[in-house]
Short mmCIF file of all heavy atoms in Angstrom, two decimals:
data_model
loop_
_atom_site.label_atom_id
_atom_site.label_comp_id
_atom_site.label_asym_id
_atom_site.label_seq_id
_atom_site.Cartn_x
_atom_site.Cartn_y
_atom_site.Cartn_z
N PHE A 295 16.55 0.64 -7.91
CA PHE A 295 15.77 1.30 -8.94
C PHE A 295 14.35 0.74 -8.85
O PHE A 295 14.17 -0.55 -8.85
CB PHE A 295 16.33 1.04 -10.35
CG PHE A 295 15.38 1.38 -11.45
CD1 PHE A 295 15.17 2.72 -11.80
CD2 PHE A 295 14.67 0.41 -12.09
CE1 PHE A 295 14.28 3.03 -12.80
CE2 PHE A 295 13.77 0.73 -13.12
CZ PHE A 295 13.57 2.04 -13.44
N LYS A 296 13.33 1.59 -8.84
CA LYS A 296 11.96 1.14 -8.81
C LYS A 296 11.22 1.85 -9.90
O LYS A 296 11.31 3.05 -10.09
CB LYS A 296 11.31 1.44 -7.47
CG LYS A 296 9.86 0.97 -7.36
CD LYS A 296 9.25 1.16 -6.02
CE LYS A 296 7.82 0.55 -5.95
NZ LYS A 296 7.20 0.74 -4.59
N ALA A 297 10.42 1.08 -10.65
CA ALA A 297 9.54 1.63 -11.66
C ALA A 297 8.10 1.25 -11.27
O ALA A 297 7.80 0.06 -11.12
CB ALA A 297 9.85 1.05 -13.04
N ASN A 298 7.22 2.22 -11.13
CA ASN A 298 5.84 2.02 -10.83
C ASN A 298 5.02 2.02 -12.07
O ASN A 298 5.30 2.75 -13.03
CB ASN A 298 5.28 3.11 -9.91
CG ASN A 298 5.84 3.03 -8.50
OD1 ASN A 298 7.01 3.43 -8.28
ND2 ASN A 298 5.07 2.56 -7.57
N PRO A 299 3.90 1.30 -12.12
CA PRO A 299 2.95 1.41 -13.24
C PRO A 299 2.17 2.71 -13.17
O PRO A 299 2.26 3.41 -12.12
CB PRO A 299 2.06 0.14 -13.03
CG PRO A 299 2.03 -0.05 -11.56
CD PRO A 299 3.43 0.32 -11.13
N PRO A 300 1.46 3.05 -14.20
CA PRO A 300 0.77 4.37 -14.18
C PRO A 300 -0.15 4.59 -12.93
O PRO A 300 -0.22 5.68 -12.44
CB PRO A 300 -0.06 4.33 -15.47
CG PRO A 300 0.72 3.44 -16.39
CD PRO A 300 1.35 2.37 -15.50
N ALA A 301 -0.81 3.50 -12.47
CA ALA A 301 -1.74 3.68 -11.36
C ALA A 301 -1.06 4.08 -10.07
O ALA A 301 -1.69 4.62 -9.15
CB ALA A 301 -2.52 2.41 -11.14
N SER A 302 0.23 3.81 -9.95
CA SER A 302 0.96 4.19 -8.71
C SER A 302 2.18 5.04 -9.01
O SER A 302 3.07 5.16 -8.18
CB SER A 302 1.36 2.97 -7.88
OG SER A 302 2.24 2.14 -8.61
N ALA A 303 2.24 5.61 -10.22
CA ALA A 303 3.40 6.45 -10.61
C ALA A 303 3.55 7.63 -9.71
O ALA A 303 4.64 8.23 -9.65
CB ALA A 303 3.22 6.90 -12.04
N PHE A 304 2.54 7.99 -8.98
CA PHE A 304 2.62 9.12 -8.05
C PHE A 304 3.73 8.93 -6.98
O PHE A 304 4.19 9.89 -6.36
CB PHE A 304 1.28 9.34 -7.34
CG PHE A 304 0.81 8.16 -6.53
CD1 PHE A 304 1.33 7.92 -5.26
CD2 PHE A 304 -0.17 7.33 -7.06
CE1 PHE A 304 0.88 6.81 -4.54
CE2 PHE A 304 -0.64 6.25 -6.30
CZ PHE A 304 -0.08 5.99 -5.06
N GLU A 305 4.12 7.67 -6.76
CA GLU A 305 5.12 7.41 -5.75
C GLU A 305 6.41 8.15 -6.01
O GLU A 305 7.14 8.58 -5.11
CB GLU A 305 5.40 5.91 -5.59
CG GLU A 305 6.30 5.59 -4.42
CD GLU A 305 6.46 4.07 -4.15
OE1 GLU A 305 5.91 3.28 -4.91
OE2 GLU A 305 7.12 3.75 -3.16
N ALA A 306 6.74 8.35 -7.29
CA ALA A 306 8.01 9.05 -7.64
C ALA A 306 7.93 10.50 -7.23
O ALA A 306 8.97 11.12 -6.86
CB ALA A 306 8.27 8.94 -9.15
N ALA A 307 6.75 11.12 -7.22
CA ALA A 307 6.58 12.47 -6.74
C ALA A 307 6.41 12.52 -5.22
O ALA A 307 6.89 13.45 -4.55
CB ALA A 307 5.38 13.13 -7.42
N LEU A 308 5.75 11.53 -4.68
CA LEU A 308 5.48 11.51 -3.21
C LEU A 308 6.73 11.30 -2.40
O LEU A 308 6.93 11.94 -1.37
CB LEU A 308 4.46 10.40 -2.93
CG LEU A 308 4.06 10.23 -1.43
CD1 LEU A 308 3.41 11.53 -0.92
CD2 LEU A 308 3.19 9.00 -1.27
N ALA A 309 7.64 10.43 -2.90
CA ALA A 309 8.80 10.11 -2.09
C ALA A 309 9.67 11.33 -1.77
O ALA A 309 10.02 11.50 -0.54
CB ALA A 309 9.64 9.02 -2.81
N PRO A 310 10.06 12.17 -2.69
CA PRO A 310 10.86 13.33 -2.32
C PRO A 310 10.06 14.32 -1.44
O PRO A 310 10.66 15.03 -0.63
CB PRO A 310 11.28 13.92 -3.65
CG PRO A 310 10.36 13.41 -4.66
CD PRO A 310 9.95 12.05 -4.17
N ALA A 311 8.77 14.41 -1.69
CA ALA A 311 7.93 15.33 -0.91
C ALA A 311 7.94 14.86 0.56
O ALA A 311 8.12 15.67 1.47
CB ALA A 311 6.54 15.40 -1.44
N LEU A 312 7.78 13.58 0.81
CA LEU A 312 7.85 13.06 2.20
C LEU A 312 9.23 13.28 2.78
O LEU A 312 9.38 13.58 3.99
CB LEU A 312 7.46 11.60 2.15
CG LEU A 312 6.04 11.19 1.78
CD1 LEU A 312 5.87 9.72 1.83
CD2 LEU A 312 5.06 11.86 2.75
N ALA A 313 10.27 13.07 1.98
CA ALA A 313 11.61 13.32 2.47
C ALA A 313 11.86 14.74 2.88
O ALA A 313 12.67 15.04 3.77
CB ALA A 313 12.65 12.87 1.42
#
Side-chain angles (χ1 to χ4, degrees):
F295 165 78
K296 182 175 184 179
N298 291 77
S302 63
F304 61 79
E305 187 173 3
L308 179 62
L312 293 178

